[in-house]
Amino acid sequence: MKKELEIKKVSYSNPNVNISYPEIINHNNLKHGIQLNEILKSEAMQSLEQYGGNEQGYELDVDYIPKCVGNTLISIQYVGSSYVKDGAHPKSLFFTVNLDVKNSRKLLLRDVVKINDEFIDLLRGARYVPYDSDLNVESEAREELSNYSNAELIAYLNKSDEVSDINELGVFTYFADESLGISFNVPHALGDHVEFEIKYSDLKNHILTQNIVWRDTTPTLAN
């Protein structure tokens, strides 16, 4: 029986910054384990530049939530906040990283699904998932989605999962137990970001079946 991957928490800190990220501790291939851990660290540490952690007067706090840690797929949510000295309020942060364990590489949304009009229709009808029990902005979040045409959303989703300015709408994806999650930026009054989840069973005609993640994680879809 193949042993499931295990992770441990690693932390980086300075007087104004706290960043935690996962590290794989039992990969059976040392080279692949090192490569995967470098990606996990790099993605977390990019928040220093992207969210102001390297700038004087900024505070940054980032932790992670493991959504999936398997032998073929790792999906991690990074959550936290950034705050500029004398600012009106902290900003809620959300970004993710998905890893193809077999090939020791980062996965983008465009690597695993066909991003087309039909996929956008699924997104528009997806289940809203509040990240805070006190924050329910479903109607406002759906209105934000409606502000973008299908063509615009396709363009944004094709630039997703990058902690950089190229990802203009701040689109990040993650793999939950039964759904593919998609997050994007919204105004601060709505919580800075919102998440929707599309059931894997609804993705039957949209997955890229050649990706080993689908074959090993959700085999009924990939057949």
Side-chain angles (χ1 to χ4, degrees):
M1 180 179 293
K2 188 174 293 185
K3 187 176 181 181
E4 289 294 319
L5 289 181
E6 298 177 10
I7 59 175
K8 70 174 183 179
K9 177 176 285 194
V10 180
S11 297
Y12 165 87
S13 63
N14 67 36
N16 298 314
V17 172
N18 289 288
I19 300 174
S20 295
Y21 55 91
E23 182 178 278
I24 301 166
I25 60 175
N26 66 331
H27 201 292
N28 58 13
N29 183 306
L30 179 61
K31 179 181 178 182
H32 284 191
I34 290 173
Q35 291 173 335
L36 291 166
N37 283 333
E38 286 177 346
I39 297 172
L40 290 168
K41 178 180 180 179
S42 173
E43 292 295 303
M45 297 303 289
Q46 283 190 63
S47 61
L48 275 171
E49 179 176 350
Q50 188 65 20
Y51 303 118
N54 278 327
E55 299 179 31
Q56 189 172 3
Y58 269 82
E59 297 178 3
L60 181 64
D61 185 55
V62 176
D63 203 350
Y64 69 89
I65 301 171
K67 299 300 291 183
C68 177
V69 180
N71 291 314
T72 57
L73 171 70
I74 293 176
S75 183
I76 303 293
Q77 290 180 351
Y78 292 102
V79 295
S81 62
S82 66
Y83 179 72
V84 59
K85 185 178 180 181
D86 300 325
H89 47 70
K91 178 179 180 180
S92 177
L93 306 180
F94 184 100
F95 58 102
T96 67
V97 62
N98 301 305
L99 301 180
D100 175 344
V101 175
K102 296 283 189 182
N103 296 296
S104 303
R105 69 185 184 105
K106 176 180 171 180
L107 291 170
L108 306 178
L109 180 64
R110 63 175 181 263
D111 296 324
V112 295
V113 299
K114 303 168 188 174
I115 304 174
N116 52 25
D117 285 328
E118 291 75 19
F119 183 80
I120 298 302
D121 289 341
L122 288 177
L123 173 58
R124 294 190 189 278
R127 181 172 69 98
Y128 165 75
V129 183
Y131 68 86
D132 186 324
S133 59
D134 294 328
L135 181 69
N136 189 327
V137 293
E138 178 173 0
S139 60
E140 295 90 340
R142 294 193 185 281
E143 185 175 346
E144 285 290 317
L145 265 182
S146 71
N147 289 332
Y148 301 103
S149 67
N150 280 15
E152 288 172 323
L153 287 173
I154 288 171
Y156 286 132
L157 267 59
N158 271 306
K159 298 176 183 177
S160 69
D161 299 304
E162 299 284 5
V163 187
S164 74
D165 291 338
I166 193 174
N167 187 1
E168 300 168 75
L169 195 57
V171 180
F172 290 96
T173 63
Y174 58 90
F175 291 79
D177 289 340
E178 299 180 350
S179 304
L180 175 69
I182 299 179
S183 174
F184 61 94
N185 289 344
V186 292
H188 177 72
L190 303 184
D192 294 314
H193 59 87
V194 293
E195 286 72 55
F196 289 92
E197 293 185 358
I198 304 171
K199 288 184 178 180
Y200 295 136
S201 57
D202 292 333
L203 290 172
K204 176 69 176 178
N205 297 322
H206 304 281
I207 66 170
L208 297 175
T209 55
Q210 68 269 26
N211 194 299
I212 195 169
V213 170
W214 292 118
R215 295 201 303 272
D216 288 2
T217 305
T218 329
T220 57
L221 290 182
N223 292 333

